[in-house]
Every structure is written in structure tokens, then in C-alpha cells.
Amino acid sequence: HIPKSGGTAVKTLYECLGTTLANQVGVDPKFNLQDKNEVIAFHPWPGISRASYVNVDTTSKPGLNRARKMGLVPSGLVDLIITSEVSHAAEYLFDESHKGHILALFRHPVDRLVSKFFYLREATWDPQYRPQWKNLNILEFAKNKNRENNYVVKKLAGLGVNDTATEEDLRIAMRTIKMRFVVGLLDEMEESVRRFNVVMGIDETDMENRECMNHLLHDSVGARNYNSDARLHKVETGSTVWNAFARRNELDIKLYLFIVDVFGQQKEIIDSYENPIH
């Protein structure tokens, strides 16, 4: 999960599609399953949502370590593991006997940071809410207040947020993307979700599933969840604001352009999953 890149909207879709997910919901104390030593899949909201969750927290490294000890992946109970700790999850949860696909939506780094700025100064419900940003204009934020740089490269190279990413780390990130990821692009949401569904074996002809898809991609409320800020807060490429963000995120921008190429290359491969040669 990469913040402000459409991941939350996709998570909502797969809840609607009735998959079994792992993030942090399953260890909420109100369900009283957080201390169990075996993996349990359960419906938190029967009658309201088709989604199931498992009683692990995959959003943190300690939670991933616990999930490994409990045998999350060998249990076969989970369809989708949601995490920002991709390198850690890939290393600790999977092995030669238990493999998976890494699915991720990506967004241009400058667009993502612009979205983050406008979101966190309004999002009173978010633990990272920044009311003080309301008094900033976006150029001042980009030049003086934005501390985030090359976030995606760092995550994929196994670095901490305060580490400095290098060209070698970029090469590691590119290799990881090429070898392990099914990539999606926020700018190509419909095609990206189609590919994710093919890989996950989702039946798009099922009536309930089609309703879920239409809600995310076409209904005003669902579609607004992932693409409204892209229209409202667009920063022109090459503008002073764009350049201020870009200077601190050169490696992430190079990685994004690489991901766009990979997205183009993967279409034929994924289409072959959908239409196997008999």
C-alpha cells in the first residue's frame, strides 16, 4: 500500500467483492481475536459487507512477524495481504512452497505529494492530520516543509524513511518491480483493476461483483474516492511547485517512469492468464 495512490479505494473494492483480507482490522480488540495463536478468518460485519478478515496485523513489521509465526500464508485463509512493508512481507511470509503475487497501484510522485498535502490538512479523522498546513501555500510546503523524499524507492530497497536513497537503491527497486510485481497505475484504474482481478481469479461476470466494480469505477461516489483530488489539485508539470517536489524525489520519478513501461509490457502476459491457450 502506497499512501495517496488509490490503494484505499481498491481495498474497498475487494471488501465489496467478498475476499478475505489481512491488514489491521482483524486485531481490533472489539472482535476479541487479537490474542489467538491460530489464524482465524471471520466476517466482521455480516449483512453489511461480504468481506472477511483474518486476526493478524500486516501493516507493521512486528505484525508481519506474528503472522509468519501463526502460519498466515500456509493457512490458505487469506486472499489479499495489505501492507506498506513490502520487502519485509515478501521475505518473511512467503517461500518456495508458498508463493504469491504482489499487486500495487502507483501514482506519479509529485501528484501523490500534492494529494497528501491537501488531504492531511483537512483529514481530521486521520492520525496524521496536519491542521497547521492550512496556513501554508503549496509552494512553501514543497520548498520548506515536505520531508518526504524517494519514499517508494526506500520502501522497495528496504531502507528507513530517514535513510538516503542512491542510484543503487533505485536499481534494486526496479529489479524488485520487474521480478515480483503486477503493477497498476492510478491514471489507468479500470485497466489496473481488471488485471488484478485476472491474477486473483475474480469473476467479473458475477452480478454482485459487477455492481462492486461499477460502484468503484463509474458511480459518482465510488469514483470520486480515488480521482477527485487528481482533478481538483493538479500541479502543472514543470511549474515552480512541480519542480520543488521533483527535486527531492528524482529517484522516485525515475522509478515511476520505469513502472509505466512495465505496465505496458505486462498487458500481454496478464491477458494470457485470462485467455489461456488450450
Side-chain angles (χ1 to χ4, degrees), residues 15-272:
E15 286 176 332
C16 184
L17 290 169
T19 62
T20 301
L21 300 95
N23 60 359
Q24 77 276 31
V25 170
V27 296
D28 189 314
K30 69 185 175 190
F31 302 122
N32 203 30
L33 294 171
Q34 73 276 14
D35 296 323
K36 302 287 186 185
N37 291 320
E38 62 178 323
V39 180
I40 298 169
F42 66 103
H43 289 276
W45 306 286
I48 298 171
S49 170
R50 292 197 287 163
S52 298
Y53 277 89
V54 287
N55 58 325
V56 298
D57 179 1
T58 55
T59 64
S60 69
K61 288 182 179 179
L64 287 165
N65 294 342
R66 175 175 173 266
R68 180 191 186 185
K69 287 178 185 171
M70 292 169 64
L72 173 63
V73 173
S75 76
L77 292 175
V78 67
D79 299 312
L80 196 62
I81 295 169
I82 298 168
T83 187
S84 294
E85 304 292 347
V86 177
S87 297
H88 196 81
E91 182 178 351
Y92 281 86
L93 294 185
F94 299 90
D95 56 36
E96 282 300 313
S97 302
H98 305 96
K99 298 181 178 181
H101 295 284
I102 302 175
L103 314 177
L105 268 180
F106 293 91
R107 185 179 195 177
H108 192 287
V110 173
D111 293 340
R112 192 177 70 74
L113 287 168
V114 170
S115 174
K116 174 184 172 181
F117 170 70
F118 285 106
Y119 168 75
L120 285 181
R121 68 183 197 165
E122 304 293 341
T124 53
W125 57 89
D126 194 299
Q128 296 185 59
Y129 173 50
R130 296 287 187 275
Q132 65 272 27
W133 289 1
K134 289 184 180 181
N135 300 319
L136 290 176
N137 67 51
I138 193 167
L139 181 58
E140 185 181 353
F141 172 77
K143 283 185 170 180
N144 303 317
K145 298 294 183 182
N146 173 46
R147 297 286 173 261
E148 189 176 307
N149 65 92
N150 298 315
Y151 173 89
V152 180
V153 168
K154 289 179 184 179
K155 280 290 183 186
L156 292 174
L159 301 178
V161 290
N162 295 320
D163 293 333
T164 300
T166 66
E167 289 283 344
E168 177 57 28
D169 296 316
L170 172 62
R171 285 190 285 274
I172 291 168
M174 286 176 168
R175 256 196 321 271
T176 302
I177 290 287
K178 187 80 171 175
M179 292 172 60
R180 293 185 167 181
F181 276 71
V182 175
V183 303
L185 303 175
L186 184 67
D187 288 346
E188 299 280 354
M189 180 66 109
E190 189 161 357
E191 171 63 10
S192 299
V193 167
R194 182 192 73 82
R195 296 184 189 186
F196 294 167
N197 288 345
V198 169
V199 171
M200 291 182 64
I202 300 290
D203 180 5
E204 290 192 357
T205 65
D206 175 85
M207 186 62 71
E208 283 186 283
N209 291 351
R210 276 164 53 188
E211 287 179 9
C212 293
M213 300 283 294
N214 284 333
H215 176 70
L216 172 73
L217 298 169
H218 304 297
D219 288 358
S220 59
V221 176
R224 192 158 54 236
N225 282 341
Y226 75 84
N227 66 15
S228 62
D229 70 341
R231 289 196 303 267
L232 288 171
H233 305 303
K234 188 72 176 173
V235 169
E236 290 301 317
T237 303
S239 66
T240 306
V241 172
W242 195 95
N243 288 335
F245 280 121
R247 270 192 295 274
R248 290 179 57 83
N249 293 276
E250 288 183 7
L251 298 180
D252 262 15
I253 290 172
K254 288 179 181 177
L255 180 63
Y256 179 76
L257 295 175
F258 175 79
I259 288 166
V260 171
D261 284 343
V262 172
F263 182 78
Q265 295 161 15
Q266 286 184 345
K267 183 180 189 307
E268 188 175 346
I269 299 166
I270 292 167
D271 286 351
S272 73

